[in-house]
Amino acid sequence: MVTDTATPGEEATAAPDAPAVDITQVALAEAAVQTELVFARIHGEPLTRLPHDLYIPPDALEVFLESFEGPLDLLLYLIRRQNFNILDIPLAEVTRQYLAYIEEIRRHNLELAAEYLLMAALLIDIKSRMLLPVKKADTGEAVEDPRAELARRLLEYERIKLGAQQIDTLPQAGRDFVAAQVLIDQTVEPRLPEVTEVDLRTAWADILRRATLVQHHRITREQLSVREHMTMVLRTLQDRRFAEFQDMFDPSRGVPVLVVTFIALLELAKESLIEITQAEAYAPIYVRLAYLPS
């Protein structure tokens, strides 16, 4: 519907080609649709009448308000819902409600109703014993209430049920959290910092520099043996846990002895008889005996 708003002093005129629309009829039609019972809407259109060939199964609209895990669960529910004293159960009322529930489930599942029928028989048996006159025991003790055993079973079941509910509220692996898994390789040996060639070259240059400060002007010919110095190095380290790299050299013996000692250290390290380690970059270099497996 299109309307034109006229300015002051002018009259609103409809377009000559637009058909006249009766607003009253439209309003009445909408009101009629609203007053009718709308069952559903299909593609935006209201459905006010059910199809004649629509079939609804008899059990399609059944609603189960309560579900019970067994006869004791149902009996406990009936007692707690009506605030009955569990130690003084009004069996007549409870049995009536219990049998009404059994009648409902018996229509659908006879096997399930068998367990509940057994409890119903027990309730009727207890009620019948309560109607009999009380007979005193021969020992003079008070006769036990027929409801006592049932009350003990109900109290025990209620404690177990409450405990299960409390356990269910606790965080569970796979439901509330996932356990972290970390792979730890136990066979990995401790890795010590590796000594690079640059570190050895720097240390050796420092030793040579200090050796030139204490060299002697003595010309002699000395037979130097690398094997002999290897043995001397092993003897030096035998009673010591470790020694500094520079302490393995004696600058007072001259450069030739220093060279042979250095070669002896390299040979021992090559044969895995000693270990040359360094804690971190630019830290002192240490020498120690290698621990060979037995």
Side-chain angles (χ1 to χ4, degrees), residues 210-228:
R210 288 188 287 109
T212 57
L213 300 177
V214 293
Q215 63 182 351
H216 300 280
H217 299 282
R218 183 174 54 186
I219 302 174
T220 58
R221 185 173 181 178
E222 183 178 1
Q223 298 292 337
L224 301 176
S225 172
V226 175
R227 289 290 177 184
E228 181 180 356

Side-chain angles (χ1 to χ4, degrees), residues 189-195 275-280 288 291:
E189 298 180 356
R191 298 182 57 184
L192 300 175
E194 297 181 358
V195 180
E275 293 180 356
I276 303 175
T277 61
Q278 186 181 34
E280 59 184 4
R288 67 177 183 182
Y291 296 97

Side-chain angles (χ1 to χ4, degrees), residues 151-199:
R152 282 194 294 267
R153 291 176 58 186
L154 287 172
L155 289 175
E156 182 179 359
Y157 175 79
E158 187 177 29
R159 286 196 296 267
I160 295 175
K161 183 177 181 180
L162 293 177
Q165 292 176 356
Q166 293 177 0
I167 293 176
D168 187 64
T169 58
L170 298 177
Q172 296 183 14
R175 186 191 69 179
D176 303 315
F177 64 91
V178 179
Q181 297 181 358
V182 179
L183 179 61
I184 301 177
D185 191 357
Q186 301 292 343
T187 61
V188 177
E189 298 180 356
R191 298 182 57 184
L192 300 175
E194 297 181 358
V195 180
T196 63
E197 297 178 359
V198 177
D199 298 329

Side-chain angles (χ1 to χ4, degrees), residues 4 13-19:
D4 295 334
T13 60
D17 297 336

Side-chain angles (χ1 to χ4, degrees), residues 28-43:
L28 291 176
E30 293 180 354
V33 173
Q34 294 178 359
T35 54
E36 293 182 356
L37 179 61
V38 178
F39 294 98
R41 290 184 178 273
I42 301 177
H43 300 292

Side-chain angles (χ1 to χ4, degrees), residues 28 54 79 89 141 143 195 206 211 219 231 253 259 263 267 290:
L28 291 176
L54 180 62
I79 294 174
I89 305 172
E141 298 178 356
V143 179
V195 180
D206 185 62
I219 302 174
T231 304
R253 299 184 60 181
V259 174
I263 296 175
E267 287 292 331

Side-chain angles (χ1 to χ4, degrees), residues 10 23 33 42 55 95 99 113 122 160 178 181 246:
E10 296 181 354
I23 301 178
V33 173
I42 301 177
Y55 172 73
T95 304
L99 291 175
L122 178 61
I160 295 175
V178 179
Q181 297 181 358
Q246 61 185 10

